Amino acid sequence: MNRERLIETFRNIDVKNKTAVELYKEISSACMNEILSEKQKAPVRCAYYFSVEYLMGRMFFNNLLALGILDEAREIFAKKGFDLNTFEDVEDAALGNGGLGRLAACYLDSAANLGYPLYGFGIRYKYGLFRQKFVGGEQVEEADDWLKTWGDPWSVRRSDEKIEVHFADMTVTAVPYDMPIYGKSVNILRLFQAEGDGEAEKISEYLYPADDCEEGKLLRIRQEYFFSAAAVGQLVQKYVKKYGKNFEHFPEFHVFQLNDTHAVFAVAEFLRLLTKEYRLTLPHAAEIAKRTFNYTNHTILPEALECWDVTLVEKILPEIAQILTRLHILAKREWDTCGYRKAEIEEMSIVRGGKYSMANVAVYISGRVNGVAEIHTKILKERLFSAAYKHAPDKLLNVTNGVTQRRWLLLCNEELANFYDIHLGHGWRKNLQAISEINCDDEELLAEFAKIKAEKKRQLAAYIERKEGVKLLENAIYIAQVKRLHEYKRQFMTALAILRIYFDLKNGKLPDFTPTVFIFGAKAAGSYRRAKEIILFLNKIAELIANDEDVNARLQVVFVQNYDVSYAEKIVAGSDVSLQVSTAGFEASGTGNMKLMMNGAVTVGTMDGANIEIVEEAGKENNYIFGATVEEINALEGVYDPVAFAEEHPRIKRVTDTLTDGTFEDKDGKLMDLASSLFEQTYNRADHYYVLYDLLPLVEALLKVNEEYKDKTLFVKKQLKNATRSAFFSSDRAIKTYAEKIWKI
Ligand code: 26V
């Protein structure tokens, strides 16, 4: 890219009489011209990332930063009287749900910056994850028409590379949109848009359509097959054109990474092409697939492990169903001859109870299967994939997640980045490990860091005031819990802990309480009733506290609307404390925990997911670990009785009673339903996630934070320790591990 030329173009852009949208498109396409002019030598061996989610967030600032012209661009346009921050209104590309989608985006960023050839494949949804509003404290969902106002100047439509995807009842055209990912190499995220008659276009309309009915399930299957088949189809076509029909060498040039099971149809399509079009035998094709595919598991929640009814797949993809069933037989035969036990074969089977287990397809065919944090991988080895692990121990490995410091430090916390520049020089920007050289005992550094944190808190407060119309308490501790809303993440437990603190404040039991603000951000899946009830409960608590003169100068709760990547950038930089309180064993890794740590938040958390590794790096003494461990949770199974437990602990009962005693208006019984999730067997056992069991330890941990925060130097030291010990959680480290251990690129 030619920097001078781009700057010259910027200088020549006339800002007068142009709308912000026009300028956005003009500046963006000037950058795109430079990016696309970069001639790349196609590397021999490439890695391909298959994911239904990519949470790219806003591309503008990220790309200008990557091009190394963000500061200069700001200056040039400021002189013309145009503030680039206007583009903070540009909608996020929110083609994902949460951690899994954001991880994909971080990995693309790291791979490009390190110069690894990693190409992403996915779906170009017309509507991203819904926009969230609160009406009367309840979540209301609106379609996220992300292309409507600002368009998508960061992608190029490639009609010349479209490909047809066939279903029994329709043929769909997959049209690629390529988004260059700029770094040391220019990689590409290729998202396919579905085009064709009638129902065809529905395939790329929505992210995660509700799949609680047959129609929804069919649509999900179509989506998954659609992009997987388009990607595999193109790569196989290109290979044949270049190297002919001998597929022996295919794995030398391609390595596929399945981001969870959503793209497992890629396996079936690959086998279908090789057997039906190119006449290989299934065992031979499977052997080539085994050298090509790898799989990352991102959750052990049974309800999130995909299984598709054989009959549904047969209905719209008969050849694919046939391949999967034949693969099932092939795998069984293989296991039989290798002396696997019957129970093991049952556990690993591709067809189970009339359904295809997509995880089992992935595990069978993949060369390497990985978990995303040490504890998660251990659980995969011991529980979920124990039979596979027993017979092929080398197949399973851990790659702890990471986040890109370019977005989650350089971009969202310029002040902290400057601090590192001043004290370390610029070297840390290429090698994050260098930040661990900051001396956390140096009082001057501590004072500087404290100032930065205060400034980021001020910025966050200003942002929240603009977005939500709520003024945050000043001189307060900012505690953030930002993540998807799910029962296992236990936002509900935090809600009850806040109520406990509220009552203690009212009773005068906490005379020296440091003012505290709890900041929540989360979307609840549209069909997830309980998650929505938890949002409502938290909003009601926020209101109760805000209207109570006795406490509202010391305690505040704000649940921000439409939490997304851009909101996250503000919150992770401006928080003192990171809440990571999942039931031990349930959070595969978490990545928000890493982003907050990188910006100097201390963790109040359970020994779960990557929290364990976070406190290993930053020191347990610099964080607030509480609650039951995995072993303790396992031991409680079948023994724990939440009804008796609440009776024994009046401090718990006092707060759970608020769900049913009229503290809050509850005309339609939503809070009542939340209470029943604690005390009755519903779709899960009573208090399945041990909310009550860990509640008082959480309150204690929060009060300890509150106490220790008073000693500013001590607390800031803990924060700086966390920030400067976060290098391990860079996605650069994670991507290097994938590249070296799995992809061999
Ligand atoms: C999906 C679903 C869909 C059906 C309803 C219940 C449910 C629950 C969870 C999920 C998420 C599945 C995969 C996922 O997003 N996992 C997240 O991946 C992150 C990146 O590895 C990781 O940091 C998070 O801990 C993990 O939850």
Side-chain angles (χ1 to χ4, degrees):
M1 94 108 180
N2 185 329
R3 200 162 182 279
E4 268 52 61
R5 188 170 56 199
L6 184 53
I7 286 171
E8 197 47 38
T9 313
F10 284 173
R11 290 220 168 91
N12 290 332
I13 290 178
D14 183 10
V15 303
K16 291 213 187 66
N17 306 319
K18 278 184 195 150
T19 63
V21 173
E22 282 165 343
L23 278 172
Y24 173 69
K25 290 185 178 166
E26 197 172 341
I27 300 171
S28 304
S29 45
C31 296
M32 276 292 268
N33 285 340
E34 283 302 330
I35 293 173
L36 296 170
S37 72
E38 202 107 326
K39 282 282 160 282
Q40 293 277 313
K41 215 175 78 208
V44 183
R45 180 174 167 80
C46 297
Y48 299 91
Y49 204 76
F50 287 72
S51 178
V52 283
E53 296 189 27
Y54 290 93
L55 259 184
M56 303 302 282
R58 214 173 271 146
M59 296 308 294
F60 186 86
F61 298 101
N62 192 67
N63 279 340
L64 268 73
L65 179 76
L67 289 163
I69 50 158
L70 181 55
D71 291 338
E72 207 145 351
R74 276 191 203 284
E75 241 169 72
I76 292 172
F77 287 100
K79 275 198 194 130
K80 297 171 192 263
F82 183 78
D83 183 356
L84 279 195
N85 281 342
T86 310
F87 299 150
E88 291 223 344
D89 289 337
V90 174
E91 273 115 25
D92 277 20
L95 308 185
N97 206 354
L100 172 140
R102 183 54 229 177
L103 187 77
C106 284
Y107 282 179
L108 291 181
D109 181 87
S110 280
N113 274 283
L114 295 170
Y116 288 118
L118 174 69
Y119 296 86
F121 284 115
I123 302 174
R124 188 172 191 262
Y125 302 101
K126 180 160 192 246
Y127 302 102
L129 183 60
F130 65 85
R131 301 236 174 102
Q132 179 197 53
K133 270 195 336 196
F134 297 145
V135 178
E138 297 196 43
Q139 169 175 296
V140 175
E141 297 122 45
E142 283 167 2
D144 170 51
D145 198 348
W146 66 289
L147 294 162
K148 191 172 151 196
T149 311
W150 300 88
D152 179 22
W154 298 104
S155 299
V156 202
R157 180 179 166 100
R158 296 293 307 269
S159 309
D160 53 322
E161 295 223 24
K162 59 189 178 199
I163 181 169
E164 288 194 336
V165 176
H166 303 282
F167 296 90
D169 52 349
M170 63 166 93
T171 293
V172 184
T173 308
V175 184
Y177 280 74
D178 284 355
M179 179 184 279
I181 312 292
Y182 188 85
K184 195 164 165 187
S185 58
V186 184
N187 295 341
I188 283 173
L189 168 59
R190 170 164 285 193
L191 300 178
F192 292 104
Q193 179 166 294
E195 297 185 3
D197 301 331
E199 299 289 289
E201 311 211 327
K202 277 208 174 132
I203 292 179
S204 61
E205 206 161 356
Y206 286 100
L207 169 81
Y208 291 129
D211 64 356
D212 44 8
C213 57
E214 177 170 319
E215 204 187 335
K217 284 196 178 74
L218 285 173
L219 185 52
R220 280 291 297 275
I221 296 172
R222 282 192 210 277
Q223 289 191 325
E224 295 186 355
Y225 179 70
F226 163 73
F227 91 98
S228 311
V232 168
Q234 294 194 327
L235 293 175
V236 167
Q237 258 177 26
K238 275 191 194 155
Y239 175 84
V240 170
K241 221 168 152 189
K242 218 165 158 188
Y243 304 102
K245 295 178 187 171
N246 177 359
F247 284 94
E248 258 350 281
H249 303 291
F250 190 87
E252 290 163 29
F253 302 118
H254 305 85
V255 52
F256 294 170
Q257 190 68 40
L258 301 173
N259 195 30
D260 224 293
T261 55
H262 312 126
V264 168
F265 283 115
V267 174
E269 177 65 5
F270 185 73
L271 298 174
R272 189 191 70 81
L273 283 175
L274 267 55
T275 54
K276 297 261 151 90
E277 312 250 327
Y278 299 102
R279 299 276 155 220
L280 271 66
T281 63
L282 186 67
H284 187 189
E287 188 269 321
I288 292 166
K290 283 179 180 178
R291 291 195 277 131
T292 306
F293 282 90
N294 304 283
Y295 156 57
T296 308
N297 172 280
H298 294 271
T299 182
I300 61 155
L301 282 180
E303 62 269 36
L305 292 174
E306 286 186 301
C307 290
W308 295 122
D309 290 311
V310 171
T311 51
L312 283 188
V313 182
E314 276 171 343
K315 197 164 163 181
I316 52 172
L317 293 165
E319 285 188 26
I320 290 297
Q322 199 185 44
I323 289 279
L324 287 174
T325 302
R326 284 177 61 204
L327 194 67
H328 166 77
I329 295 164
L330 180 75
K332 257 190 130 146
R333 209 177 296 143
E334 195 180 308
W335 297 326
D336 272 333
T337 45
C338 294
Y340 285 44
R341 292 207 318 267
K342 215 170 156 217
E344 290 170 346
I345 295 181
E346 176 50 33
E347 180 190 313
M348 298 172 70
S349 276
I350 287 172
V351 183
R352 297 176 79 184
K355 290 172 195 277
Y356 294 120
S357 156
M358 303 312 265
N360 283 352
V361 177
V363 172
Y364 171 64
I365 219 72
S366 290
R368 312 303 299 272
V369 173
N370 75 286
V372 291
E374 292 288 350
I375 186 182
H376 170 232
T377 302
K378 185 162 176 275
I379 292 172
L380 293 183
K381 289 176 178 175
E382 288 172 0
R383 305 217 295 259
L384 220 55
F385 305 141
S386 61
Y389 178 60
K390 186 178 144 199
H391 291 277
D394 291 342
K395 188 181 266 207
L396 273 96
L397 78 164
N398 178 59
V399 186
T400 298
N401 283 165
V403 302
T404 170
Q405 68 271 25
R406 283 160 293 276
R407 187 175 289 262
W408 300 108
L409 172 53
L410 291 168
L411 211 56
C412 77
N413 203 336
E414 230 183 320
E415 295 83 348
L416 183 54
N418 290 337
F419 168 87
Y420 289 139
D421 281 342
I422 292 168
H423 299 291
L424 298 168
H426 284 76
W428 70 275
R429 288 176 179 249
K430 288 274 171 266
N431 167 30
L432 193 62
Q433 205 59 53
I435 61 175
S436 68
E437 283 156 29
I438 291 283
N439 177 4
C440 299
D441 295 318
D442 183 322
E443 291 196 355
E444 265 171 44
L445 293 190
L446 288 171
E448 270 180 49
F449 180 79
K451 249 188 168 160
I452 292 169
K453 188 47 94 183
E455 170 59 16
K456 297 314 282 185
K457 287 169 73 173
R458 197 195 54 74
Q459 291 172 10
L460 172 61
Y463 190 79
I464 291 182
E465 186 170 3
R466 179 157 80 81
K467 288 270 177 185
E468 318 298 329
V470 177
K471 218 170 150 53
L472 296 199
L473 296 177
E474 286 169 30
N475 300 319
I477 313 174
Y478 288 4
I479 302 182
Q481 188 168 12
V482 286
K483 47 188 76 261
R484 276 185 296 121
L485 216 134
H486 200 286
E487 287 167 278
Y488 83 80
K489 293 179 185 278
R490 298 199 292 193
Q491 286 99 341
F492 188 21
M493 181 169 72
T494 313
L496 296 170
I498 293 170
L499 277 178
R500 187 59 266 162
I501 290 171
Y502 167 75
F503 287 129
D504 287 347
L505 280 171
K506 288 210 60 108
N507 296 338
K509 277 202 191 122
L510 300 170
D512 296 325
F513 190 78
T514 314
T516 299
V517 180
F518 286 90
I519 300 162
F520 291 90
K523 290 181 182 178
S527 56
Y528 192 173
R529 178 173 49 95
R530 284 252 161 92
K532 290 180 159 178
E533 291 165 356
I534 294 168
I535 292 181
L536 176 66
F537 186 41
L538 271 161
N539 277 328
K540 283 186 184 281
I541 293 172
E543 195 188 339
L544 172 82
I545 293 173
N547 293 330
D548 189 331
E549 297 284 324
D550 294 345
V551 291
N552 64 12
R554 288 176 293 165
L555 187 62
Q556 187 178 29
V557 177
V558 51
F559 204 132
V560 306
Q561 300 172 89
N562 203 41
Y563 174 65
D564 59 7
V565 171
S566 294
Y567 225 133
E569 290 169 18
K570 309 285 181 205
I571 294 174
V572 300
S575 296
D576 293 303
V577 180
S578 156
L579 275 178
Q580 309 296 338
V581 302
S582 53
T583 316
F586 283 93
E587 188 69 273
S589 162
T591 45
N593 46 3
M594 302 171 183
K595 293 160 198 162
L596 281 148
M597 177 202 198
M598 204 172 261
N599 286 276
V602 300
T603 297
V604 169
T606 48
M607 285 300 255
D608 197 21
N611 298 352
I612 298 174
E613 291 156 78
I614 284 178
V615 299
E616 239 166 64
E617 293 288 319
K620 249 192 175 169
E621 69 285 3
N622 296 314
N623 290 288
Y624 301 83
I625 293 298
F626 74 96
T629 60
V630 171
E631 292 76 21
E632 285 165 337
I633 293 282
N634 290 342
L636 283 170
E637 226 189 284
V639 184
Y640 171 59
D641 174 359
V643 178
F645 195 77
E647 288 301 330
E648 282 162 31
H649 296 86
R651 281 174 59 73
I652 293 180
K653 192 153 186 317
R654 175 70 188 93
V655 290
T656 55
D657 279 350
T658 63
L659 291 162
T660 49
D661 68 3
T663 305
F664 305 103
E665 194 186 29
D666 186 30
K667 281 197 302 266
D668 36 17
K670 294 192 163 105
L671 302 185
M672 186 83 83
D673 182 62
L674 274 184
S676 72
S677 78
L678 296 174
F679 299 120
E680 290 164 34
Q681 154 92 34
T682 55
Y683 55 84
N684 275 324
R685 275 170 316 184
D687 197 12
H688 183 59
Y689 294 107
Y690 302 91
V691 165
L692 301 186
Y693 192 80
D694 278 343
L695 176 58
L696 295 180
L698 169 60
V699 173
E700 235 170 82
L702 289 170
L703 292 178
K704 190 169 171 211
V705 167
N706 199 274
E707 183 57 36
E708 294 195 353
Y709 187 83
K710 286 183 199 136
D711 185 341
K712 275 279 156 60
T713 319
L714 179 98
F715 200 80
V716 169
K717 194 186 276 188
K718 291 184 180 208
Q719 293 191 318
L720 188 59
K721 263 264 153 71
N722 275 281
T724 57
R725 297 300 183 274
S726 65
F728 179 78
F729 302 102
S730 161
S731 45
D732 291 358
R733 184 269 312 150
I735 276 296
K736 269 189 207 141
T737 313
Y738 278 98
E740 283 162 17
K741 292 204 175 150
I742 304 179
W743 302 338
K744 312 276 159 63
I745 49 170

